[in-house]
Amino acid sequence: MTTAPAPELSQGSSPSGGTTRREPAWRLVALREIVVSLTDRNFLISTAITLVVLIGTFGIQGYLAGRSHSYTVGVTTPAARAVLESAAAIEKAAGGNTVLTVTDVATRSAGEAAVRSDTLDALFVEQGSTWQLVGHTTPEESLRTVVDTALQTRVLSSAATALGTNSDALMAQSRTGYVLLASDAENSLSFQITGLVFAMLFYMSSILFGMGIANSVVQEKQSRIVEILAAMIPLRSLLTGKIVGSGILALGQLTLYVGVGLLGLSMTKFRDLIPAVAGAAGWFLLFFIVGFAALACLWAMAGAMATRSEDLQSTSAPISTSLMVALFAGIFLDGGPLKIISFVPIMSSVAMPRRILLGGVMWWEPVLSLGLTAAFAVLTVGFGAGIYRRSLLQTRGRLSLRQAMALEE
């Protein structure tokens, strides 16, 4: 379907007869998309809730990791005191958060009375050839762990001395070595979880902002506002503005989430992972913006093929299904299959950042994968833009892809 030529908006006449520079049409559309979203209550609330959840999760982890446990423990013999002082020294050297205060008591019965009255948190006594921690109502596992470590070190050292060796050599003989064929990172639960987070962020942002583009297109079409817009600005500029505006919003939101996540990670015991996670996060943002560009025109195409908002479920189903396949493939595949899909456009936006996290990726692999996704984006932009222009002014009912392709531009 042909439309009347749109007037040029990049220049205009001033009252004095000269020309003045105006904003290109696509920039105005992009700015409008950004302003509408930033003033949308639901968008702001959902973003704020996500940030609160992220901050709360890391805050709780940081609080639990940094919370110290203080115990006042009674002893009846110098040997018991020596064990607890050794336990306190080992915990301090390891950077632990358990603090022990050792108090002498005259007898076991006096110590048990102090535990019952909560004057002491526990009593540490030797019973024959074994040691006992006497508590009041519930066992303190963190205290028990610290004391057990000191006792094992003491017993092992005594046994090693009796055998004419040392405790390190004895421990080396009593441990089974394990050789892993995969890298340490590949077996790290932290990296696996981070890869899952990247995959979910890509899927959710692509659906949220992609469906936003489709809804915007179909609402303008349903209200017939698009006919006014088409008479004023080129359809290519209208489409470009929607994609650029949504892309800026999506990238800004994801950058905010990733930044808060890295900041939160620095407050946990996994802070040593920040360099690896930050590098993978940078690649993730690059893959997201290129992957989103590849999908954005297809979302606009889905909106243009619909006549009502109810039609979007049908016209956007292939895109949603493809994103779901990419999500699950990127999460659950490993080894060779994961390497293969890391070079498949759209899937690579999930798979390659995960591979970078797991390690063992050559420098050229993400570059090649990103280039393939960019090439795919060029193809989808051309195809989607063509269908968009053919379908946008058709209001007689929902179009199938074959019907849209058969229309004259």
Side-chain angles (χ1 to χ4, degrees), residues 371-393:
L372 291 173
T373 304
F376 178 74
V378 172
L379 295 176
T380 58
V381 165
F383 177 75
I387 299 297
Y388 171 84
R389 291 194 299 270
R390 291 186 181 99
S391 307
L392 191 60
L393 299 180

Side-chain angles (χ1 to χ4, degrees), residues 342-366:
S342 68
F343 294 99
V344 178
I346 304 304
M347 288 187 180
S348 60
S349 299
V350 175
M352 186 56 78
R354 182 179 167 214
R355 282 191 62 208
I356 293 172
L357 272 175
L358 300 180
V361 176
M362 301 295 290
W363 68 267
W364 55 266
E365 293 186 72

Side-chain angles (χ1 to χ4, degrees), residues 279-296:
W283 279 107
F284 166 70
L285 292 175
L286 283 175
F287 271 96
F288 171 80
I289 199 63
V290 177
F292 183 78
L295 293 169

Side-chain angles (χ1 to χ4, degrees), residues 74-241:
V75 295
T76 57
T77 62
R81 170 176 280 277
V83 172
L84 291 185
E85 289 176 347
S86 175
I90 292 172
E91 181 72 359
K92 184 177 181 180
N97 52 11
T98 300
V99 180
L100 296 180
T101 301
V102 185
T103 301
D104 293 315
V105 294
T107 61
R108 175 167 180 157
S109 58
E112 290 179 353
V115 171
R116 288 192 184 93
S117 64
D118 293 329
T119 304
L120 295 176
D121 294 307
L123 177 67
F124 183 60
V125 295
E126 191 173 9
Q127 184 68 29
S129 60
T130 62
W131 294 88
Q132 293 180 342
L133 268 174
V134 181
H136 187 197
T137 55
T138 57
E140 299 289 353
E141 291 301 326
S142 57
L143 172 62
R144 183 177 182 179
T145 299
V146 171
V147 174
D148 281 352
T149 300
L151 274 176
Q152 290 166 8
T153 302
R154 176 190 178 96
V155 171
L156 190 61
S157 180
S158 299
T161 301
L163 293 172
T165 182
N166 57 65
S167 57
D168 291 338
L170 209 59
M171 283 297 295
Q173 298 175 30
S174 62
R175 280 198 293 257
T176 299
Y178 211 108
V179 177
L180 298 176
L181 299 179
S183 64
D184 292 340
E186 189 171 351
N187 295 279
S188 169
L189 179 61
S190 302
F191 283 124
Q192 295 284 4
I193 292 175
T194 305
L196 173 62
V197 171
F198 283 165
M200 291 301 300
L201 283 176
F202 177 81
Y203 174 77
M204 291 171 60
S205 293
S206 297
I207 290 289
L208 174 65
F209 290 97
M211 189 59 76
I213 292 174
N215 271 314
S216 175
V217 171
V218 77
Q219 285 172 9
E220 291 172 355
K221 186 176 179 180
Q222 189 172 355
S223 63
R224 311 299 286 267
I225 292 178
V226 70
E227 297 176 8
I228 301 174
L229 293 173
M232 297 181 65
I233 62 175
L235 293 183
R236 185 183 297 274
S237 296
L238 181 61
L239 175 61
T240 302

